Amino acid sequence: MELWELTARESIRDLVARYNANADSGRFDDVLALFAAGAAVTIPGRTATGADEIRSIFTATSERDVPGPIRHHTSTLQIDLVDEVTATGRCYFAVLTANGLDHWGRYVDAYAEVAGRWLFTERRVSVDAYSPVSAFGPETIDP
């Protein structure tokens, strides 16, 4: 494996970790800095494109009555390098609140190296299931 491949893989792992930590802590400007210009995020029922629309996903979440802190955990991150500046990835996620496991599913991502930094160009969120006491269940998502 070449050095650029190792660097790309580690940078993408760091990107995914920073997304979780910053979003869970309400540092939305730091989250938005992880996305390339014109990036898109798709959540159940909605696609947001560009920084302002993506921000609205996080601010809407922060306005919910969620018990205690929110903690996202990701696992089984698979990274496919397309070339030296583009890649795709997918991983599982689980979201915990004070009620316990809230919901879980998968992230499917596209990444690009922009000005020396790996960034999201697309993030698709697929929810596999919700807890019966979920603060984010399908009935809470606006159409």
Side-chain angles (χ1 to χ4, degrees), residues 4 9 79-88 111 118:
W4 73 265
R9 289 178 185 284
I79 300 167
D80 296 313
L81 300 172
V82 176
D83 54 37
E84 291 187 31
V85 295
T86 56
T88 60
Y111 318 102
W118 281 90

Side-chain angles (χ1 to χ4, degrees), residues 87-134:
T88 60
R90 63 213 153 277
C91 61
Y92 298 118
F93 71 84
V95 178
L96 301 175
T97 68
N99 288 339
L101 182 59
D102 189 274
H103 62 284
W104 55 95
R106 291 161 282 142
Y107 291 129
V108 177
D109 300 324
Y111 318 102
E113 186 182 38
V114 179
R117 292 182 59 223
W118 281 90
L119 302 172
F120 293 103
T121 58
E122 181 180 13
R123 173 155 264 204
R124 289 176 298 175
V125 181
S126 173
V127 178
D128 292 337
Y130 298 89
S131 161
V133 295
S134 174

Side-chain angles (χ1 to χ4, degrees), residues 3 7-8 22 42 51 68 78 89 95 107 128 140:
L3 180 59
T7 301
N22 288 323
T42 300
Q78 297 174 298
V95 178
Y107 291 129
D128 292 337
T140 67

Side-chain angles (χ1 to χ4, degrees), residues 54-76:
I54 293 171
R55 178 186 297 278
S56 71
I57 290 173
F58 293 100
T59 55
T61 298
S62 70
E63 294 168 357
R64 291 177 185 258
D65 185 21
V66 177
I70 301 169
R71 295 293 179 256
H72 285 73
H73 297 270
T74 52
S75 64
T76 316

Side-chain angles (χ1 to χ4, degrees), residues 6 11 23-24 32 35 37 40 45 59 63 74 126 143:
L6 294 171
S11 296
D24 287 349
L32 293 172
F35 288 89
T59 55
E63 294 168 357
T74 52
S126 173

